[in-house]
C-alpha cells in the first residue's frame, strides 16, 4: 500500500521512536497528535514520508484505545494510550498472556474444544497446548465430551446448564462471539442459514436465537421518531417465541433509542442493495465500514 512504501527504519531508530511515542501516550492522545509529534521529532515534512514512517512506528508500538465517554465510550476519533501507563503495571510474559487468553475465551464461550479456541484466536493448536496444559496442572480446567465424543474444556467453576434447560429467545449483535467463536458452528446455526447471516465481505449480521439456535435476523428502523426493532425470521415462529422476542426487541429499542437509534441500518441497506443487484444479474461487491 501507499503507507508501506519506503524502507523499514533501522532497529535503533525504530526503538527510539517507539519509546518516544509511548512516553507521549502516557496520557491518551489522538493518532494525529502522535503522528505530528513524530514529524516534529524527525523533521519530516514530506507527507508520504511521514505516513510511511508513522506506519512502521504505529505497527510496532503497543497502544490501546482509551474510552472517551459518551453513549458507547469510544468515539469515532480514537484516543490512544500506552498500555503500561494505562494499566499501571508492566506486561507479563508471552505465556502469561496466552493463559489469560485461554481463560477469557472459556469464560465467554466455554465449554469448547481446543480446535474452537484455535479458530477464534487464529493461533495454531500447538501454540495453545502449553497454556492449556498449564491451566490444567493448576486445577483450573474442567473436562467433558460433546455429543460426537470430542473433548471439551471449560473453566472448572463456570456455570454449565444441563441439556434439559430451556434456552430463552435472545437477540445477538453483529459479529457476536457465539456465532464466530467455534470451529464447528453447526451447534448454533443450520448450515443452510449461514449464507443468510454472513455477507460476502465477512460481516455477520445481527441475529436472534430460538431454542439456542439462530432463527432469523433483526434490524432497527425509525417509526414516528422512535426506534423499533423489526424481526426477520427464517421460518415461521411459534406464538410464544414471537412474543418473547418482541419483548426482548422492545427493551433493546428503548436502550438504543437515545444512543444509536439506527444501529446497523447501513448494513441492512447494503444487504438489500446486494440482493437487488444479484437479482438483476449485476456483480455485487461490498466493503466493511
Amino acid at each position: 500500500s501507499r503507507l508501506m512504501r519506503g524502507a523499514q527504519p533501522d532497529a535503533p531508530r525504530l526503538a527510539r521512536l517507539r519509546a518516544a511515542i509511548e512516553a507521549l501516550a502516557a496520557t491518551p492522545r489522538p493518532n494525529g497528535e502522535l503522528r505530528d509529534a513524530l514529524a516534529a521529532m524527525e523533521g519530516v515534512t514530506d507527507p508520504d514520508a511521514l505516513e510511511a514512517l508513522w506506519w512502521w512506528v504505529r505497527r510496532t508500538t503497543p497502544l490501546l484505545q482509551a474510552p472517551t465517554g459518551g453513549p458507547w465510550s469510544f468515539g469515532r476519533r480514537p484516543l490512544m494510550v500506552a498500555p503500561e501507563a494505562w494499566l499501571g503495571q508492566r506486561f507479563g510474559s508471552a505465556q502469561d498472556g496466552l493463559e489469560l487468553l485461554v481463560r477469557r475465551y472459556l469464560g465467554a464461550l466455554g465449554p469448547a474444544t481446543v480446535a474452537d479456541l484455535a479458530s477464534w484466536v487464529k493461533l495454531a493448536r500447538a501454540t495453545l497446548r502449553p497454556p492449556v496444559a498449564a491451566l490444567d496442572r493448576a486445577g483450573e480446567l474442567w473436562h467433558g465430551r460433546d455429543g460426537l465424543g470430542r473433548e471439551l474444556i471449560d473453566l472448572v467453576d463456570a456455570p454449565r446448564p444441563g441439556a434439559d434447560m430451556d434456552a430463552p429467545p435472545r437477540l445477538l449483535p453483529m459479529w457476536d462471539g457465539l456465532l464466530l467463536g467455534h470451529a464447528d458452528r453447526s451447534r448454533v446455526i443450520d448450515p443452510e442459514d449461514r449464507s443468510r447471516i454472513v455477507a460476502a465481505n465477512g460481516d455477520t449480521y445481527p441475529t436472534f436465537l430460538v431454542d439456542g439456535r439462530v432463527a432469523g435476523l433483526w434490524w432497527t428502523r425509525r417509526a414516528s421518531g422512535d426506534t423499533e426493532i423489526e424481526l426477520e425470521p427464517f421460518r415461521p415462529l411459534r406464538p410464544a417465541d414471537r412474543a418473547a422476542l418482541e419483548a426482548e426487541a422492545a427493551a433493546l429499542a428503548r436502550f438504543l433509542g437515545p444512543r444509536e437509534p439506527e444501529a446497523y441500518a447501513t448494513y441492512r441497506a447494503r444487504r438489500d442493495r446486494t440482493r437487488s443487484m444479484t437479482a438483476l444479474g449485476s456483480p455485487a461487491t461490498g466493503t466493511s465500514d
Side-chain angles (χ1 to χ4, degrees), residues 29-39 50 54 77-78 80:
R29 298 177 187 272
N31 264 308
E33 183 177 333
L34 295 173
R35 185 177 59 248
D36 292 345
L38 179 69
L50 175 59
W54 174 241
R77 299 188 61 174
M80 310 309 295

Side-chain angles (χ1 to χ4, degrees), residues 2 16 32 43 52 59 80 97 123 130 147 191 196 204 217 228 251 285:
R2 182 176 65 87
R16 173 174 59 80
R59 181 173 182 264
M80 310 309 295
L123 293 174
R196 292 173 153 183
T204 302
L217 304 173
E228 293 184 355
T285 59

Side-chain angles (χ1 to χ4, degrees), residues 172-240:
L172 303 182
M174 289 188 70
W175 309 292
D176 190 81
L178 179 66
L179 305 183
L180 302 177
H182 302 91
D184 178 9
R185 297 170 188 175
S186 64
R187 59 194 292 180
V188 293
I189 183 168
D190 294 336
E192 60 268 26
D193 290 336
R194 287 191 62 180
S195 63
R196 292 173 153 183
I197 72 163
V198 181
N201 65 355
D203 285 335
T204 302
Y205 298 135
T207 60
F208 63 81
L209 306 180
V210 173
D211 296 330
R213 299 185 63 79
V214 173
L217 304 173
W218 65 266
W219 304 100
T220 56
R221 68 176 182 181
R222 297 284 281 171
S224 301
D226 294 325
T227 295
E228 293 184 355
I229 302 295
E230 181 178 345
L231 302 177
E232 188 179 298
F234 297 154
R235 285 163 285 278
L237 297 171
R238 297 181 299 242

